[in-house]
Amino acid sequence: AEPLLRSPAVFVSPKELYTAPGSCEGRCGEPLSDEDECHCHPECERRGSCCGDYERHCGPEGFSRSSDSITDQELLEVSEQLYGLDHNKARPTDIAINPQHQAAPGETGHQEDLSPQPLYKYVNEELFSKPTYSSFIKLLDNYQRATGREEEVTADELREQDNFLREVMKTELMKKLFAFLHAKNRYDSEQEFLEDLKQMWFGPYSRGAGEQDSSGFEHVFSGEVKKGKVSGFHNWIRFYLLEKQGIVNYFSHNFNGPWDTFPDVLGLQFSWDGFYKEVGSAFIGCSPEFEFGLYTLCFLARPGRA
Protein backbone atom coordinates (compact mmCIF):
# COMPACT_ATOMS: atom_id res chain seq x y z
CA ALA A 1 0.00 0.00 0.00
CA GLU A 2 1.13 3.53 -0.69
CA PRO A 3 2.22 5.43 2.41
CA LEU A 4 -0.11 8.24 3.38
CA LEU A 5 1.42 11.66 2.93
CA ARG A 6 -0.07 14.18 5.28
CA SER A 7 -0.36 17.49 3.52
CA PRO A 8 1.64 20.07 5.46
CA ALA A 9 -0.51 22.35 7.59
CA VAL A 10 1.27 25.40 6.20
CA PHE A 11 -0.55 27.13 3.38
CA VAL A 12 1.06 29.64 1.07
CA SER A 13 0.06 33.09 2.26
CA PRO A 14 -2.42 34.87 0.01
CA LYS A 15 0.25 37.50 -0.66
CA GLU A 16 2.35 34.91 -2.43
CA LEU A 17 -0.58 33.15 -4.06
CA TYR A 18 -2.40 36.07 -5.66
CA THR A 19 -2.70 39.81 -5.35
CA ALA A 20 -3.96 40.28 -1.80
CA PRO A 21 -7.05 42.53 -1.57
CA GLY A 22 -5.13 44.85 0.79
CA SER A 23 -2.25 45.41 -1.63
CA CYS A 24 -1.74 47.50 -4.79
CA GLU A 25 0.52 44.94 -6.43
CA GLY A 26 -0.70 44.64 -10.03
CA ARG A 27 -3.66 46.94 -9.32
CA CYS A 28 -2.35 50.46 -10.07
CA GLY A 29 -4.99 52.57 -11.79
CA GLU A 30 -7.75 50.03 -11.11
CA PRO A 31 -11.22 51.70 -11.03
CA LEU A 32 -12.53 52.57 -7.55
CA SER A 33 -14.99 50.06 -6.18
CA ASP A 34 -16.82 50.10 -2.85
CA GLU A 35 -16.28 46.33 -2.68
CA ASP A 36 -12.53 46.85 -2.22
CA GLU A 37 -11.08 47.33 1.23
CA CYS A 38 -8.58 49.86 -0.18
CA HIS A 39 -7.86 51.47 -3.54
CA CYS A 40 -5.04 51.92 -6.07
CA HIS A 41 -6.47 54.58 -8.38
CA PRO A 42 -4.82 58.06 -8.08
CA GLU A 43 -8.19 59.35 -6.81
CA CYS A 44 -7.65 57.32 -3.59
CA GLU A 45 -5.22 59.97 -2.30
CA ARG A 46 -7.99 62.57 -2.25
CA ARG A 47 -10.42 60.09 -0.69
CA GLY A 48 -7.90 58.81 1.84
CA SER A 49 -8.64 55.21 0.83
CA CYS A 50 -5.29 54.10 -0.65
CA CYS A 51 -3.83 50.71 0.25
CA GLY A 52 -0.82 50.88 2.57
CA ASP A 53 1.60 50.03 -0.24
CA TYR A 54 0.07 52.45 -2.79
CA GLU A 55 3.11 54.73 -2.92
CA ARG A 56 5.55 51.82 -3.14
CA HIS A 57 3.74 50.28 -6.10
CA CYS A 58 1.94 53.14 -7.82
CA GLY A 59 3.92 56.26 -6.92
CA PRO A 60 6.23 57.94 -9.47
CA GLU A 61 9.04 55.58 -8.46
CA GLY A 62 6.72 52.60 -7.93
CA PHE A 63 7.44 49.19 -9.36
CA SER A 64 3.93 48.00 -10.30
CA ARG A 65 2.68 49.27 -13.62
CA SER A 66 -0.91 50.33 -14.18
CA SER A 67 -0.81 48.27 -17.40
CA ASP A 68 -0.54 45.15 -15.22
CA SER A 69 -3.98 45.64 -13.65
CA ILE A 70 -6.77 43.64 -15.31
CA THR A 71 -9.75 45.73 -16.41
CA ASP A 72 -13.34 44.47 -16.60
CA GLN A 73 -13.14 44.80 -20.39
CA GLU A 74 -10.00 42.64 -20.50
CA LEU A 75 -11.69 40.06 -18.26
CA LEU A 76 -14.61 39.96 -20.66
CA GLU A 77 -12.36 39.63 -23.71
CA VAL A 78 -10.10 36.90 -22.33
CA SER A 79 -13.13 34.97 -20.97
CA GLU A 80 -14.63 35.00 -24.48
CA GLN A 81 -11.29 33.84 -25.91
CA LEU A 82 -11.17 30.92 -23.44
CA TYR A 83 -14.76 30.07 -24.37
CA GLY A 84 -13.78 30.03 -28.05
CA LEU A 85 -10.77 27.81 -27.36
CA ASP A 86 -12.76 25.09 -25.58
CA HIS A 87 -12.04 22.53 -28.30
CA ASN A 88 -12.85 19.58 -26.01
CA LYS A 89 -16.37 20.72 -25.11
CA ALA A 90 -19.42 18.57 -25.86
CA ARG A 91 -20.96 18.81 -29.31
CA PRO A 92 -24.74 19.29 -29.52
CA THR A 93 -25.18 15.55 -30.22
CA ASP A 94 -23.05 14.51 -27.18
CA ILE A 95 -25.56 15.43 -24.45
CA ALA A 96 -29.33 15.43 -24.05
CA ILE A 97 -30.76 16.88 -20.84
CA ASN A 98 -34.32 16.85 -19.52
CA PRO A 99 -34.72 19.89 -17.20
CA GLN A 100 -38.47 19.24 -16.45
CA HIS A 101 -39.83 21.41 -13.59
CA GLN A 102 -38.70 25.04 -13.35
CA ALA A 103 -38.82 26.17 -9.71
CA ALA A 104 -40.13 29.63 -8.88
CA PRO A 105 -37.85 31.84 -6.71
CA GLY A 106 -39.73 30.87 -3.53
CA GLU A 107 -39.65 27.15 -4.33
CA THR A 108 -35.93 26.44 -4.35
CA GLY A 109 -35.81 25.68 -0.62
CA HIS A 110 -38.76 23.28 -0.58
CA GLN A 111 -36.67 20.12 -0.98
CA GLU A 112 -39.33 18.48 -3.16
CA ASP A 113 -38.52 16.22 -6.08
CA LEU A 114 -40.62 17.86 -8.80
CA SER A 115 -38.90 16.08 -11.71
CA PRO A 116 -39.56 12.32 -11.85
CA GLN A 117 -36.98 11.70 -14.60
CA PRO A 118 -33.17 12.06 -14.36
CA LEU A 119 -31.65 15.32 -15.63
CA TYR A 120 -29.40 13.52 -18.13
CA LYS A 121 -31.17 11.56 -20.86
CA TYR A 122 -27.94 10.83 -22.72
CA VAL A 123 -24.21 11.57 -22.54
CA ASN A 124 -21.72 10.33 -25.11
CA GLU A 125 -19.16 8.82 -22.74
CA GLU A 126 -16.51 8.80 -25.46
CA LEU A 127 -15.93 12.37 -24.24
CA PHE A 128 -14.53 10.92 -21.02
CA SER A 129 -11.67 9.22 -22.83
CA LYS A 130 -10.15 12.60 -23.78
CA PRO A 131 -7.02 13.11 -21.62
CA THR A 132 -8.27 16.14 -19.67
CA TYR A 133 -11.59 14.39 -18.90
CA SER A 134 -10.08 11.04 -17.90
CA SER A 135 -7.44 12.64 -15.65
CA PHE A 136 -10.15 14.90 -14.14
CA ILE A 137 -12.50 11.98 -13.36
CA LYS A 138 -9.69 10.14 -11.53
CA LEU A 139 -9.53 13.05 -9.03
CA LEU A 140 -13.20 12.92 -8.05
CA ASP A 141 -12.93 9.98 -5.62
CA ASN A 142 -9.98 11.46 -3.70
CA TYR A 143 -12.05 13.33 -1.12
CA GLN A 144 -14.13 12.81 2.02
CA ARG A 145 -17.14 15.00 1.48
CA ALA A 146 -17.72 15.81 5.17
CA THR A 147 -16.04 19.03 6.30
CA GLY A 148 -14.21 18.90 9.63
CA ARG A 149 -12.37 15.68 8.71
CA GLU A 150 -8.74 16.07 7.74
CA GLU A 151 -8.00 15.02 4.16
CA GLU A 152 -5.18 12.49 3.85
CA VAL A 153 -3.41 12.67 0.51
CA THR A 154 -1.74 9.53 -0.82
CA ALA A 155 1.22 9.42 -3.18
CA ASP A 156 -1.14 8.06 -5.86
CA GLU A 157 -3.46 11.03 -5.41
CA LEU A 158 -0.56 13.48 -5.72
CA ARG A 159 0.37 11.78 -8.99
CA GLU A 160 -3.22 12.14 -10.20
CA GLN A 161 -3.11 15.87 -9.42
CA ASP A 162 0.14 16.28 -11.36
CA ASN A 163 -1.23 14.28 -14.28
CA PHE A 164 -4.37 16.41 -14.51
CA LEU A 165 -2.37 19.65 -14.38
CA ARG A 166 0.01 18.35 -17.04
CA GLU A 167 -2.90 17.47 -19.36
CA VAL A 168 -4.75 20.80 -18.95
CA MET A 169 -1.53 22.74 -19.54
CA LYS A 170 -1.20 21.05 -22.95
CA THR A 171 -4.46 22.65 -24.14
CA GLU A 172 -4.58 25.79 -26.24
CA LEU A 173 -7.09 27.23 -23.75
CA MET A 174 -4.68 27.07 -20.78
CA LYS A 175 -1.75 28.24 -22.91
CA LYS A 176 -3.83 31.31 -23.83
CA LEU A 177 -4.59 31.96 -20.15
CA PHE A 178 -0.91 31.68 -19.25
CA ALA A 179 0.06 34.04 -22.10
CA PHE A 180 -2.44 36.63 -20.80
CA LEU A 181 -1.24 36.35 -17.18
CA HIS A 182 2.40 36.39 -18.31
CA ALA A 183 1.76 39.61 -20.27
CA LYS A 184 0.28 41.05 -17.05
CA ASN A 185 3.48 40.21 -15.15
CA ARG A 186 1.72 37.69 -12.92
CA TYR A 187 4.09 34.83 -13.84
CA ASP A 188 7.56 34.61 -15.33
CA SER A 189 7.31 31.03 -16.58
CA GLU A 190 4.80 28.29 -17.31
CA GLN A 191 6.45 26.26 -14.54
CA GLU A 192 5.76 29.03 -12.01
CA PHE A 193 2.13 29.15 -13.17
CA LEU A 194 1.85 25.36 -12.85
CA GLU A 195 3.19 25.41 -9.27
CA ASP A 196 0.73 28.16 -8.39
CA LEU A 197 -2.20 26.24 -9.93
CA LYS A 198 -1.26 23.24 -7.81
CA GLN A 199 -1.28 25.26 -4.59
CA MET A 200 -4.33 27.31 -5.56
CA TRP A 201 -6.53 24.32 -6.40
CA PHE A 202 -5.10 21.40 -4.40
CA GLY A 203 -3.48 23.15 -1.42
CA PRO A 204 -5.43 22.18 1.71
CA TYR A 205 -7.21 24.68 3.94
CA SER A 206 -9.78 24.59 6.71
CA ARG A 207 -13.52 25.18 6.33
CA GLY A 208 -14.17 24.69 10.01
CA ALA A 209 -12.30 23.99 13.21
CA GLY A 210 -8.76 24.05 11.89
CA GLU A 211 -8.47 20.65 10.21
CA GLN A 212 -7.05 20.77 6.68
CA ASP A 213 -10.36 19.42 5.39
CA SER A 214 -10.86 21.16 2.07
CA SER A 215 -9.32 22.44 -1.14
CA GLY A 216 -10.52 24.58 -4.03
CA PHE A 217 -10.80 21.54 -6.28
CA GLU A 218 -12.75 19.50 -3.74
CA HIS A 219 -15.22 22.31 -3.08
CA VAL A 220 -15.89 23.45 -6.64
CA PHE A 221 -15.72 20.22 -8.61
CA SER A 222 -16.26 17.30 -6.24
CA GLY A 223 -18.57 18.87 -3.65
CA GLU A 224 -18.71 18.78 0.15
CA VAL A 225 -21.28 18.43 2.89
CA LYS A 226 -21.20 21.14 5.55
CA LYS A 227 -23.76 21.43 8.38
CA GLY A 228 -26.04 18.92 6.64
CA LYS A 229 -26.10 20.78 3.31
CA VAL A 230 -24.28 20.31 0.02
CA SER A 231 -21.56 22.91 -0.42
CA GLY A 232 -19.90 23.60 -3.78
CA PHE A 233 -20.47 20.75 -6.29
CA HIS A 234 -20.67 22.76 -9.52
CA ASN A 235 -19.48 20.25 -12.10
CA TRP A 236 -21.68 18.59 -14.72
CA ILE A 237 -19.48 15.51 -15.14
CA ARG A 238 -19.53 14.78 -11.42
CA PHE A 239 -23.33 15.24 -11.39
CA TYR A 240 -23.86 12.95 -14.39
CA LEU A 241 -21.66 10.15 -12.99
CA LEU A 242 -23.37 10.22 -9.57
CA GLU A 243 -26.86 10.50 -11.06
CA LYS A 244 -26.11 7.43 -13.19
CA GLN A 245 -25.17 5.54 -10.00
CA GLY A 246 -28.41 6.64 -8.29
CA ILE A 247 -26.55 8.70 -5.67
CA VAL A 248 -27.72 12.10 -6.95
CA ASN A 249 -31.42 12.82 -7.44
CA TYR A 250 -32.36 15.81 -9.63
CA PHE A 251 -35.31 17.82 -8.21
CA SER A 252 -35.79 20.92 -10.42
CA HIS A 253 -34.04 23.89 -12.01
CA ASN A 254 -34.53 27.59 -11.34
CA PHE A 255 -32.45 28.94 -14.25
CA ASN A 256 -31.78 27.67 -17.75
CA GLY A 257 -29.38 29.78 -19.81
CA PRO A 258 -30.61 31.13 -23.15
CA TRP A 259 -27.87 29.29 -25.07
CA ASP A 260 -28.65 26.69 -27.72
CA THR A 261 -25.20 25.13 -27.69
CA PHE A 262 -22.70 23.92 -25.07
CA PRO A 263 -21.55 25.00 -22.61
CA ASP A 264 -25.00 25.83 -21.30
CA VAL A 265 -25.69 27.11 -17.77
CA LEU A 266 -28.25 25.58 -15.43
CA GLY A 267 -29.22 26.56 -11.87
CA LEU A 268 -30.51 23.40 -10.20
CA GLN A 269 -31.88 21.77 -7.06
CA PHE A 270 -30.85 18.25 -6.13
CA SER A 271 -30.24 15.76 -3.37
CA TRP A 272 -26.85 14.05 -2.96
CA ASP A 273 -27.30 10.91 -0.92
CA GLY A 274 -29.96 12.70 1.16
CA PHE A 275 -28.15 16.03 1.49
CA TYR A 276 -29.80 18.97 -0.27
CA LYS A 277 -28.43 21.64 -2.62
CA GLU A 278 -30.79 24.60 -2.85
CA VAL A 279 -29.22 26.33 -5.85
CA GLY A 280 -26.26 24.74 -7.57
CA SER A 281 -25.13 26.39 -10.77
CA ALA A 282 -23.18 24.49 -13.39
CA PHE A 283 -21.80 24.83 -16.90
CA ILE A 284 -23.24 21.87 -18.81
CA GLY A 285 -21.06 20.35 -21.52
CA CYS A 286 -17.84 22.31 -21.11
CA SER A 287 -14.45 20.62 -20.78
CA PRO A 288 -12.73 20.43 -17.38
CA GLU A 289 -10.06 22.86 -18.60
CA PHE A 290 -12.63 25.54 -19.47
CA GLU A 291 -13.98 25.71 -15.92
CA PHE A 292 -10.51 25.30 -14.43
CA GLY A 293 -9.12 28.14 -16.54
CA LEU A 294 -12.07 30.51 -16.16
CA TYR A 295 -12.25 30.17 -12.37
CA THR A 296 -8.47 30.56 -12.10
CA LEU A 297 -8.71 33.80 -14.07
CA CYS A 298 -11.47 35.12 -11.78
CA PHE A 299 -9.56 34.19 -8.63
CA LEU A 300 -6.35 35.86 -9.78
CA ALA A 301 -7.98 38.95 -11.27
CA ARG A 302 -10.57 39.65 -8.56
CA PRO A 303 -9.45 37.96 -5.34
CA GLY A 304 -12.16 38.01 -2.67
CA ARG A 305 -14.53 39.94 -4.92
CA ALA A 306 -17.45 39.40 -7.25
Side-chain angles (χ1 to χ4, degrees), residues 9 19 47 53 55 61 69 77 82-83 89 109 133 136 151 166-167 182 186 197 199 215 271 290-291 294 299:
T19 304
R47 290 176 50 155
D53 59 4
E55 195 57 37
E61 306 297 314
S69 68
E77 285 166 9
L82 298 183
Y83 183 89
K89 70 183 178 188
Y133 284 79
F136 171 81
E151 292 290 343
R166 199 163 43 243
E167 291 300 339
H182 178 62
R186 295 301 202 273
L197 285 172
Q199 188 61 50
S215 67
S271 163
F290 173 72
E291 285 193 273
L294 189 68
F299 180 65

Side-chain angles (χ1 to χ4, degrees), residues 14-31:
K15 189 74 191 78
E16 294 167 63
L17 188 58
Y18 61 89
T19 304
S23 169
C24 278
E25 187 180 349
R27 291 177 54 205
C28 299
E30 189 179 82

Side-chain angles (χ1 to χ4, degrees), residues 250-284:
Y250 171 71
F251 282 12
S252 56
H253 68 286
N254 63 302
F255 175 81
N256 191 349
W259 301 277
D260 53 11
T261 182
F262 296 117
D264 197 356
V265 175
L266 204 62
L268 60 167
Q269 291 67 53
F270 61 91
S271 163
W272 177 18
D273 222 3
F275 298 101
Y276 187 61
K277 180 74 175 181
E278 187 168 328
V279 179
S281 55
F283 281 104
I284 312 281

Side-chain angles (χ1 to χ4, degrees), residues 22-205:
S23 169
C24 278
E25 187 180 349
R27 291 177 54 205
C28 299
E30 189 179 82
L32 297 170
S33 164
D34 290 339
E35 269 186 23
D36 298 338
E37 58 186 64
C38 59
H39 301 116
C40 307
H41 188 276
E43 184 70 7
C44 73
E45 295 189 278
R46 190 179 63 76
R47 290 176 50 155
S49 64
C50 299
C51 297
D53 59 4
Y54 172 78
E55 195 57 37
R56 185 158 67 93
H57 284 288
C58 311
E61 306 297 314
F63 51 84
S64 280
R65 302 188 313 228
S66 57
S67 59
D68 293 343
S69 68
I70 298 172
T71 65
D72 285 353
Q73 184 58 32
E74 286 171 321
L75 262 186
L76 182 64
E77 285 166 9
V78 77
S79 300
E80 291 289 354
Q81 287 166 350
L82 298 183
Y83 183 89
L85 290 172
D86 190 7
H87 305 314
N88 285 326
K89 70 183 178 188
R91 295 162 308 194
T93 52
D94 286 333
I95 300 177
I97 60 171
N98 181 16
Q100 299 163 84
H101 183 78
Q102 180 154 4
E107 275 187 317
T108 59
H110 287 181
Q111 304 195 28
E112 287 177 60
D113 183 359
L114 300 167
S115 302
Q117 303 300 314
L119 174 61
Y120 286 93
K121 283 199 285 200
Y122 168 75
V123 170
N124 175 9
E125 294 195 10
E126 282 178 23
L127 273 174
F128 301 162
S129 61
K130 293 178 186 242
T132 57
Y133 284 79
S134 60
S135 58
F136 171 81
I137 289 167
K138 284 194 174 78
L139 293 168
L140 294 173
D141 64 358
N142 289 356
Y143 301 100
Q144 306 180 70
R145 68 181 177 195
T147 56
R149 289 172 61 190
E150 182 120 354
E151 292 290 343
E152 292 180 337
V153 186
T154 67
D156 272 344
E157 288 171 354
L158 289 172
R159 269 196 293 277
E160 288 173 356
Q161 292 172 12
D162 287 339
N163 190 41
F164 172 69
L165 290 169
R166 199 163 43 243
E167 291 300 339
V168 297
M169 285 307 294
K170 289 178 188 172
T171 64
E172 199 183 339
L173 186 156
M174 288 298 285
K175 288 191 180 299
K176 172 71 202 174
L177 177 60
F178 168 71
F180 174 76
L181 294 169
H182 178 62
K184 289 291 182 183
N185 280 313
R186 295 301 202 273
Y187 299 101
D188 292 330
S189 68
E190 214 168 287
Q191 186 55 38
E192 189 187 355
F193 181 43
L194 191 66
E195 290 301 318
D196 206 2
L197 285 172
K198 189 170 182 176
Q199 188 61 50
M200 190 188 310
W201 282 101
F202 297 106
Y205 63 85

